[in-house]
Amino acid sequence: MMRISSEKQMGKKRKDDGYNRGKFKEFEYFLKGLRAPFYKLLNYKSNYQYDCPICGYSGPFMDKKDRLRAKCPKCGELERARLAMLVLSQIYDDKKASGTDVLHVSPENFLRKMFTKKFKSYVSSDLYREDVDHQFDIQNIPYSDQSFDLVFASHVLEYVKNDRQAIKEIKRVLRPGGLAFLPVPMLHEKTIDFEERPPNKRIIRETGIDYFDRYKKIFKEVKIYDASSFQERFNLNIDIKETSKKNSKIKTYQMPNLLPVCKA
């Protein structure tokens, strides 16, 4: 049950602040689906052929800016999304999914569809987006204790000012044994917290590998999945191409693709 349901807290529209409000998302996803056969035909000689566990596409993947072969040309999803789908499919068979109540923060389209189709109940949420069931701040989740079995919030906590409070709130609304999927970008070895949001950034912290220690202080167990947890054919590695400004030489390196699953 929800603890509060006032129009001000749940559905008040906010002024234009540059955040994604979810407009035209369905049309965007439809257009993305049309490009796959053309991209596959134009790149049929590619030595890099992969399988997408989200949409079932097989063939070459697209670059995403400086990220090599990151994007599935059919569904448009990236490495972290493919990893999430594989982990969810491993943990939740049809029987377990049918008994699982889900809270989905800042919802990805492919997961929204899967959660709605296969899971017991589904609530989507976001602070700014209007294509969700409820608008609220995860620092104060408007649901009673132990309302959900699964909370999924990918690349969300780097934007939240009081992230420790948000983590506690996520734990509070989970039932005993419930799971929280809480990946954040791996930008450094150690997390950098800013006192105020930098003027040129939306995030208020640059998260690093040590960030998962914050989960371990709140949750009973934290299990980390990475690219090596699954077959290479899904291309879960985040390969970055970097061009030197001095001599225009190109080098590549990998960023960690990690998915922490936290147990209440």
Side-chain angles (χ1 to χ4, degrees):
M1 296 293 293
M2 296 184 64
R3 294 190 297 169
I4 54 176
S5 58
S6 69
E7 180 180 354
K8 180 178 180 181
Q9 288 170 299
M10 297 301 300
K12 182 180 178 182
K13 292 185 178 180
R14 296 166 176 80
K15 64 182 180 179
D16 184 14
D17 43 27
Y19 283 91
N20 175 15
R21 300 183 187 283
K23 291 183 179 180
F24 312 116
K25 278 292 182 182
E26 286 298 328
F27 184 63
E28 176 187 340
Y29 293 126
F30 171 75
L31 290 178
K32 286 179 178 178
L34 297 178
R35 70 188 167 196
F38 298 101
Y39 184 81
K40 188 172 183 177
L41 181 62
L42 291 172
N43 296 274
Y44 72 96
K45 291 185 178 180
S46 173
N47 293 324
Y48 301 98
Q49 305 286 326
Y50 304 108
D51 296 327
C52 179
I54 297 170
C55 66
Y57 167 86
S58 293
F61 281 4
M62 305 173 69
D63 292 349
K64 171 72 172 178
K65 296 183 179 179
D66 58 348
R67 289 158 65 173
L68 299 174
R69 302 174 292 278
K71 181 190 291 188
C72 169
K74 183 175 180 180
C75 65
E77 298 296 346
L78 301 172
E79 310 94 340
R80 72 173 186 264
R82 294 193 291 276
L83 178 59
M85 176 60 85
L86 290 165
V87 175
L88 284 164
S89 298
Q90 185 180 92
I91 295 175
Y92 294 95
D93 58 19
D94 289 344
K95 182 178 180 180
K96 185 173 182 179
S98 66
T100 298
D101 297 311
V102 180
L103 174 61
H104 192 186
V105 183
S106 189
E108 297 85 354
N109 187 59
F110 79 97
L111 284 180
R112 189 204 304 256
K113 290 180 178 179
M114 185 190 73
F115 287 144
T116 302
K117 181 179 180 181
K118 299 180 66 174
F119 285 65
K120 179 182 177 182
S121 70
Y122 174 74
V123 176
S124 61
S125 67
D126 195 85
L127 180 59
Y128 296 101
R129 284 170 57 177
E130 297 170 357
D131 64 333
V132 295
D133 296 317
H134 298 296
Q135 288 180 314
F136 59 77
D137 189 333
I138 63 168
Q139 295 169 107
N140 182 26
I141 300 176
Y143 284 89
S144 302
D145 296 358
Q146 301 182 16
S147 292
F148 299 97
D149 304 293
L150 168 61
V151 176
F152 195 100
S154 177
H155 287 221
V156 171
L157 290 168
E158 65 267 28
Y159 296 91
V160 179
K161 187 162 188 177
N162 191 344
D163 62 319
R164 289 178 172 85
Q165 174 62 23
I167 296 167
K168 290 178 182 178
E169 280 288 277
I170 291 169
K171 166 67 162 52
R172 179 186 64 77
V173 300
L174 277 172
R175 297 178 182 125
L179 300 179
F181 286 59
L182 304 175
V184 291
M186 294 289 100
L187 302 177
H188 307 290
E189 287 290 328
K190 293 188 176 181
T191 298
I192 301 171
D193 290 286
F194 303 113
E195 291 187 7
E196 298 293 337
R197 206 176 304 273
N200 61 335
K201 297 178 183 291
R202 292 181 185 174
I203 59 174
I204 199 165
R205 65 186 50 81
E206 295 181 357
T207 45
I209 295 174
D210 68 327
Y211 190 76
F212 300 151
D213 293 340
R214 303 186 190 190
Y215 302 158
K216 294 174 182 177
K217 292 179 180 179
I218 304 297
F219 289 94
K220 182 192 304 183
E221 179 185 331
V222 179
K223 183 174 181 178
I224 311 297
Y225 294 84
D226 62 17
S228 67
S229 304
F230 300 94
Q231 297 178 37
E232 293 182 5
R233 65 189 177 94
F234 299 117
N235 194 34
L236 304 177
N237 291 317
I238 302 177
D239 294 313
I240 307 295
K241 178 178 68 175
E242 186 178 75
T243 304
S244 172
K245 294 181 180 180
K246 292 183 178 180
N247 52 26
S248 298
K249 286 187 177 180
I250 297 175
K251 66 177 182 178
T252 60
Y253 63 94
Q254 280 190 356
M255 289 180 61
N257 184 13
L258 306 178
L259 175 56
V261 177
C262 310
K263 187 174 183 179

